[in-house]
Amino acid sequence: MAPAQKKQKKNLENINGRLQLVMKSGKFVLGVKQSMKTLRNGKSKLILIANNTPPLKKSEIEYYAMLSKTGVHQYNGSNIDLGTACGRYFRVGVLSITDPGDSDIIRIIPGASAE
């Protein structure tokens, strides 16, 4: 395995571990519609978008996030991988974190706004 792949895999495991901690101790919303609501209300702290989310939805979410000054992170996996990382048995295209709980995911992910 190349060094770049090892770093990418380690980074993904790092994010998955922090994501599991958010699932246990924090507050979050799954799905595009609910995530858009949290962005419009200004409650969202971080948005995770799967890499196979349709471009139109992705750009719309990024636009709303830019208006609400919320960090957006492109998750390095499909919506199936994101759903599995969340501990769910279904696909998750977009995840909005409103309260990170005990996790420091908002400080670690670049582009996220730490408030």
Side-chain angles (χ1 to χ4, degrees), residues 17-81:
R18 285 176 165 72
L19 199 54
Q20 288 172 352
L21 194 57
V22 169
M23 297 300 136
K24 286 184 181 177
S25 64
K27 292 184 180 176
F28 60 94
V29 169
L30 304 175
V32 175
K33 287 183 182 179
Q34 295 293 323
S35 296
M36 295 292 274
K37 279 185 186 177
T38 62
L39 281 171
R40 283 194 296 266
N41 294 333
K43 295 179 181 176
S44 184
K45 302 269 193 297
L46 176 67
I47 300 285
L48 289 171
I49 303 176
N51 66 359
N52 63 343
T53 303
L56 185 63
K57 286 193 189 299
K58 189 182 289 189
S59 63
E60 189 177 5
I61 290 168
E62 287 172 346
Y63 177 70
Y64 274 96
M66 184 258 317
L67 290 176
S68 66
K69 298 184 178 99
T70 303
V72 177
H73 179 72
Q74 302 291 334
Y75 185 76
N76 236 0
S78 67
N79 53 3
I80 297 170
D81 298 333

